[in-house]
Amino acid sequence: MEETSKSINSRRRTLRETLGLGRASLPVGITDRIEHLSVLDKVNQVLANAVRHRLPAGSRVRDVLHGVPTGHPLHPPLATVSLGCWIATAVLDMIDVDPRASRAVLATGIAGALPTAAAGITDWSVLHREQQRVGFVHAVVNLTALGLYSGSLFLRMAGNHRAGRLLGYAGLGAAGLGGYLGGHLAYRMAAGPSHAEPLTHLMPLGWHDLCRLWDLPDGRPVTRRLGYIHLFVLRHGAQVKVLADRCSHLAGPLHQGRLAIVDEEACVICPWHGSVFRIDDGTVVHGPATAPQPSFDVNVRGDGVVQVRPRQA
Ligand code: FES
């Protein structure tokens, strides 16, 4: 028994060594390798430019596909529709019910894949290089799943249910792999979650001294540090506005962004991918960011010291 487990472990080690995966588990090692596939960069750049050209920054369609109106990225919840339908198809196939039921559920999954892909590719077009590499492979695997399921539906409609079922199971395997890569992108590479959220837990409640009012330039944003936190600070005369400096999309430095009036409100445009935030309260005007920038209350003491505290909702 001990011998068997030793030999399995040694075989695993050899496979990992052959693939150059170091001490990582097999799936993690493979996804880590995909992150470094620089051979994908050229094609990614061309595709991402084409998507951004088709969906210009600030357009209504692009904001909806990012999920700005819903406040969360739109792609993950849409993806669960197709994946759920395809899992249901496999279950229905296994219990051998009326083939019309599995056909209807399968077709719903295929229909759901189209808006899911549109939202996904819109998010993907404004990711970092490593994230785009994993995203590209994720898309190719999911397109393979979509192709297998389309073939499966076609075969079922032609009356070849057995072959349709087999193709459906193959599609589920591909969709599962695509889901794993999507999870890697979201949870390990942080494409999607707010990058400004942890900030609210790093600052104790109450007022904190930040700097002197007259040390701040007039009308030009600067960054100031408060403990671990970088803040975006903008002074106009005696008025000071303070937001978190790291953009909620992918942590771009907002103080290096452009100031603009958008919809008659003072805004800052992130220098990395163009998210637009209201300076007054940090809310999102245009994506790709879907989460607001944390904003701060400001108090200027009589001796000119600027104090800040996290804004309570
Ligand atoms: S980091 Fe992407 S828009 Fe700010």
Side-chain angles (χ1 to χ4, degrees):
M1 185 78 175
E2 201 179 319
E3 276 304 303
T4 319
S5 96
K6 264 187 196 159
S7 103
I8 291 173
N9 281 343
S10 118
R11 269 209 298 275
R12 274 194 197 139
R13 241 191 334 267
T14 317
L15 181 60
R16 281 207 301 262
E17 276 157 20
T18 312
L19 295 171
L21 304 181
R23 297 179 73 87
S25 68
L26 198 60
V28 172
I30 289 172
T31 41
D32 284 349
R33 295 283 290 220
I34 296 173
E35 286 179 28
H36 295 100
L37 274 183
S38 56
V39 65
L40 297 175
D41 290 350
K42 244 192 193 126
V43 66
N44 281 349
Q45 210 177 351
V46 172
L47 283 174
N49 283 344
V51 174
R52 290 198 299 264
H53 183 71
R54 281 249 149 209
L55 297 170
S59 68
R60 178 79 186 143
V61 178
R62 180 161 154 180
D63 279 347
V64 168
L65 288 171
H66 280 309
V68 174
T70 47
H72 298 156
L74 190 61
H75 176 68
L78 286 181
T80 60
V81 174
S82 294
L83 202 52
C85 284
W86 291 339
I87 292 170
T89 305
V91 174
L92 292 174
D93 282 347
M94 275 189 275
I95 56 178
D96 207 16
V97 292
D98 182 343
R100 282 178 305 179
S102 42
R103 270 204 313 261
V105 178
L106 195 163
T108 308
I110 291 175
L114 302 178
T116 306
I121 200 165
T122 308
D123 288 344
W124 170 86
S125 70
V126 283
L127 291 179
H128 293 317
R129 209 170 34 198
E130 291 77 9
Q131 294 167 329
Q132 283 188 336
R133 292 171 188 161
V134 177
F136 180 86
V137 179
H138 166 71
V140 169
V141 172
N142 282 336
L143 279 176
T144 307
L146 186 60
L148 288 166
Y149 274 117
S150 302
S152 168
L153 184 62
F154 179 78
L155 287 171
R156 288 166 200 247
M157 288 174 68
N160 192 345
H161 295 286
R162 193 178 141 71
R165 270 188 218 148
L166 288 177
L167 222 51
Y169 292 137
L172 189 59
L177 181 59
Y180 177 81
L181 290 171
H184 183 83
L185 253 180
Y187 298 115
R188 254 180 96 108
M189 303 186 81
S194 168
H195 286 252
E197 172 56 22
L199 191 147
T200 39
H201 309 294
L202 291 172
M203 184 188 271
L205 294 175
W207 291 103
H208 305 272
D209 293 355
L210 184 64
C211 58
R212 296 200 160 269
L213 181 68
W214 304 114
D215 290 343
L216 296 169
D218 195 21
R220 180 168 61 81
V222 289
T223 185
R224 290 287 180 268
R225 235 179 116 153
L226 191 67
Y228 302 111
I229 302 167
H230 293 267
L231 298 173
F232 161 100
V233 186
L234 176 64
R235 174 172 81 85
H236 276 303
Q239 267 214 339
V240 180
K241 300 286 180 192
V242 178
L243 298 174
D245 191 46
R246 300 228 162 114
C247 174
S248 66
H249 176 232
L250 283 177
L254 274 196
H255 73 279
Q256 291 176 15
R258 199 158 51 81
L259 301 180
I261 301 294
V262 180
D263 300 339
E264 299 182 7
E265 294 195 71
C267 293
V268 56
I269 304 176
C270 178
W272 283 6
H273 311 106
S275 289
V276 180
F277 301 95
R278 288 185 187 89
I279 292 175
D280 218 29
D281 58 6
T283 48
V284 181
V285 180
H286 295 301
T290 56
Q293 282 305 107
S295 61
F296 294 80
D297 290 327
V298 176
N299 173 49
V300 182
R301 262 190 351 218
D303 59 359
V305 169
V306 178
Q307 298 181 304
V308 294
R309 72 174 176 193
R311 186 165 294 167
Q312 307 297 312

